[in-house]
Every structure is written in structure tokens, then in C-alpha cells.
Amino acid sequence: MGKFKSFDDFQRTIHKELDRQENHKETNFISNVNNDSTELPLELSNKNIKKKRRKIRIKKKWKTRFMMGCAVFFIILLSFLFLPLPFGDIRVTGSAVVTRSDIIFEGKIKHPVNVLQINISNVKQRLLHDIRVSSIDIKRSFPFYIDVIVHDRTPYAIVQGDYVYAVLDKNGRVMDTQTSISGLDLPIITGKKLGNLLLEDIVQEESINKALQFISSLSQDGFKQFSEVNIGQPNNIIAYTRDGIAVHLGSGEHIDKQAVMAENMVGDIMARGLSVEYIEVNLTSPFIKLKK
């Protein structure tokens, strides 16, 4: 108490000291808080940086793998496009005479067959030069096929040339030539001998065209009933059945309709067992001449 003048001074001094210590503690507490608050974001920042770096590494890794995969895919694709590797197949339908081997040979398709290397437009154009083919459709089918749908050219009649017998389709195109008609089960057009006939020639004689129109207008069953069409007299065309019945067609002005009528009349005669001398196929007044 010697240095204090009174007890009040002593108390004031004690209170100041306590206030000073309290202030010091608060200052230390705030300082510690501030220090902690600056260290926490730094730690979080480092973690974020590491996480971002890891993501970048993973992204680069997958990007590299993707690029390598694309490169391998294109190498394989180019190999199938240009190297002689077998891939897919060719299927042929619709034809009774054209085979898969014919398609490969005439279409100039390389061995082994690789459908990715085949230009179907070029193949189609080459196959259309085959006289046996009337029309053709080519398309790609799932998964790795080329489908070739062939429509055969149908033979309808035989005509005689200078040196050969020629087989014609309904348009008069020469499909085949033979030195004799033995083995050819087709109607023959008689009454006119043509010149030197070669494969793929087109006969454009009017009377020949009328005879072909008559034959091609018959049904499949009617086609089997007739064996000959004689065009020796243009105004008196006569067709003959396999039973020898003469069918008079006149000038054949409406030959397609006359063919249908003639087929029906012959069918009626056969069903009734009539003995017939000839049939007059006139669209306005047809009649049957019976044998006496």
C-alpha cells in the first residue's frame, strides 16, 4: 500500500490491469482466428488445384484413347476398302438361268468378294449387256449383302433366217440362234424367211411384230396351246394350235384382243370335244366352222 495514496487508487490500478489482460486475450483470440481463416482457404485452394490437375490428366488420357481408337477404326476401314479382303456376299434371285458365278464374271467383280469395293451401278450396266437379262435391280442389304434381282428375258417364238433359226423375245430381239429347231419348244413364225440374223439383232418387220404380239398376249396356258403363226399373207394371218386347228386373224388390226378371244374359243372347243375345221376370230362376229 506504500506506493498507493489511497485504497481507491489501488482498486483503480487493479481494474486497469484486469482490463489490460482481457484486451490482450481478445487480441490473441482475434489474431488466432485471423490466422486460421487465412490458412483454411490456402489448404482448400491446393486441394482444388490437385483435383483440377487430376481431371485434366484423365481428360487427356481419354482423349488419347479416343484418338487411338479412331485411328485404328480408319485403318481397318481403309484395309477393307482397298486391300483384297473378303467381306460380305452377293445373293442372286429371280432368275432361272443367271447364276452368282455369272454375276461375278460379267460384273467384273474381283476375288475375294468384298461388297465395300463393288460399284453396284457399274455392275448393273455390265449385266444389262447379257442377252438373257430383261431387267435387273441391285441394292445393298443389311448387314453386308448385295442383292441382285434378275428378270429373265423370255423367249416367245422362232423365226427362220438364211442360215439359222433365231429365238426372239416379245420385242423381236434375237436371244439365241440354232441350226435346227429340234429341242426348241416354242411357237414358230412361218411364211417369211429373214436374212442373216445375229445375236442381239432386233427384227422390225411389221408382220413379225404382229405375230409376236399375238403370242405374247396369250396366258401361260394359252401359250402352250399354239404351235405356229403363219404371216405369209399379211391380210390373212393364221395361227395354228397344237391340235391343228386353224385360227383366222385377218390383218391382225386388234391382234392383242384377238389373242384373248382365240384362247377362250379354243378352250371352249377342247372342253366340248368339238371337231373343228377352223375358227374365225373377228371381234364383231366370231364363229367356229365345224367339220362335216
Side-chain angles (χ1 to χ4, degrees), residues 10-168:
F10 174 78
Q11 284 184 329
R12 282 196 296 270
T13 302
I14 292 298
H15 285 306
K16 286 181 181 181
E17 182 64 23
L18 290 174
D19 291 337
R20 188 184 66 79
Q21 291 180 2
E22 286 289 333
N23 291 333
H24 181 70
K25 288 180 180 180
E26 288 177 2
T27 302
N28 288 338
F29 176 78
I30 292 172
S31 177
N32 290 334
V33 170
N34 289 335
N35 289 336
D36 290 341
S37 64
T38 54
E39 289 177 3
L40 185 60
L42 287 173
E43 184 178 352
L44 290 174
S45 178
N46 290 334
K47 287 182 179 179
N48 289 335
I49 291 172
K50 291 180 180 179
K51 188 180 292 185
K52 287 181 180 180
R53 288 176 178 174
R54 185 166 61 252
K55 287 183 178 179
I56 291 171
R57 285 196 300 270
I58 293 173
K59 188 175 181 180
K60 286 183 178 179
K61 184 178 180 181
W62 282 106
K63 186 177 181 180
T64 303
R65 288 182 179 178
F66 175 76
M67 296 298 293
M68 290 179 64
C70 289
V72 171
F73 171 78
F74 280 111
I75 290 172
I76 294 173
L77 180 61
L78 291 174
S79 299
F80 278 110
L81 286 174
F82 297 104
L83 296 179
L85 299 174
F87 190 77
D89 201 5
I90 296 172
R91 301 184 295 195
V92 182
T93 57
S95 177
V97 292
V98 180
T99 65
R100 179 179 179 275
S101 298
D102 294 332
I103 299 296
I104 292 174
F105 177 75
E106 295 178 21
K108 296 182 180 180
I109 297 171
K110 297 179 181 179
H111 286 280
V113 173
N114 185 325
V115 296
L116 296 179
Q117 299 175 1
I118 296 174
N119 186 318
I120 59 177
S121 296
N122 291 343
V123 172
K124 181 176 181 178
Q125 291 303 315
R126 295 186 185 111
L127 293 176
L128 287 174
H129 292 293
D130 189 330
I131 194 63
R132 299 171 298 173
V133 175
S134 174
S135 62
I136 190 166
D137 296 314
I138 303 180
K139 60 182 180 179
R140 297 186 184 274
S141 300
F142 181 84
F144 307 111
Y145 289 103
I146 290 179
D147 284 327
V148 182
I149 301 96
V150 181
H151 303 280
D152 291 338
R153 190 181 299 278
T154 304
Y156 277 93
I158 304 167
V159 293
Q160 185 179 4
D162 284 340
Y163 308 105
V164 294
Y165 290 94
V167 178
L168 305 180

Side-chain angles (χ1 to χ4, degrees), residues 214 249-250 252-263 281 283:
F214 173 84
L249 302 169
E253 186 177 355
H254 303 286
I255 198 77
D256 52 343
K257 294 179 181 179
Q258 288 176 296
V260 176
M261 180 179 287
E263 181 179 340
V281 183
L283 294 182

Side-chain angles (χ1 to χ4, degrees), residues 158 165-167 176-187 242:
I158 304 167
Y165 290 94
V167 178
D176 192 14
T177 56
Q178 300 286 341
T179 55
S180 70
I181 61 173
S182 60
L184 296 175
D185 190 18
L186 294 169
R242 294 182 184 273

